[in-house]
Amino acid sequence: MAYSETINLVVGDTLPELTITLKDSNRAAIGATLDEADSSTWRPINLTGSTVRLRIRQLGETTVKSTLTCTVTELTNGKVTTDFPTGTLDTAGIFEAEVEITNSAGGIQTVNDLIKLKIRDDFD
């Protein structure tokens, strides 16, 4: 499975706030020429009327540990944010997260690339 990035976190933390920009790799951004290898040329997904969730599970598991509802911060630029509510980062290990978009008609689109979360124990 392809990972878009790895985020290093610590058990018990509720921050940092995670900002995600969702883009369509099949459509060129306005004024750009589409390049499949260059995400800066991809068009942001318009999130008007959409709900975006971050679903987290431990690597190798099938059970979703946490589902976080993101806040849409820029509707037409595809930007969302979320933090990690208390209890989300309560276990050390390697986790993976997927981004799921539900549009106003109920259609679901899941981002193919995953986000890897590496969570280490804290000193306490």
Side-chain angles (χ1 to χ4, degrees), residues 31-46:
T33 300
L34 184 62
D35 178 348
E36 291 179 9
D38 181 2
S39 64
S40 70
T41 68
W42 303 349
R43 181 173 294 181
I45 295 174
N46 186 330

Side-chain angles (χ1 to χ4, degrees), residues 24-97:
D24 184 345
S25 62
N26 297 307
R27 297 180 64 204
I30 295 171
T33 300
L34 184 62
D35 178 348
E36 291 179 9
D38 181 2
S39 64
S40 70
T41 68
W42 303 349
R43 181 173 294 181
I45 295 174
N46 186 330
L47 296 172
T48 300
S50 297
T51 301
V52 179
R53 292 180 181 84
L54 185 70
R55 298 165 28 98
I56 302 169
R57 68 181 182 189
Q58 191 153 14
L59 187 64
E61 298 292 326
T62 58
T63 303
V64 174
K65 179 184 184 309
S66 297
T67 299
L68 309 179
T69 300
C70 299
T71 301
V72 177
T73 57
E74 294 184 31
L75 289 173
T76 58
N77 289 321
K79 286 196 177 192
V80 299
T81 61
T82 189
D83 56 10
F84 298 95
T86 300
T88 303
L89 305 178
D90 61 356
T91 306
I94 306 296
F95 293 79
E96 53 191 7

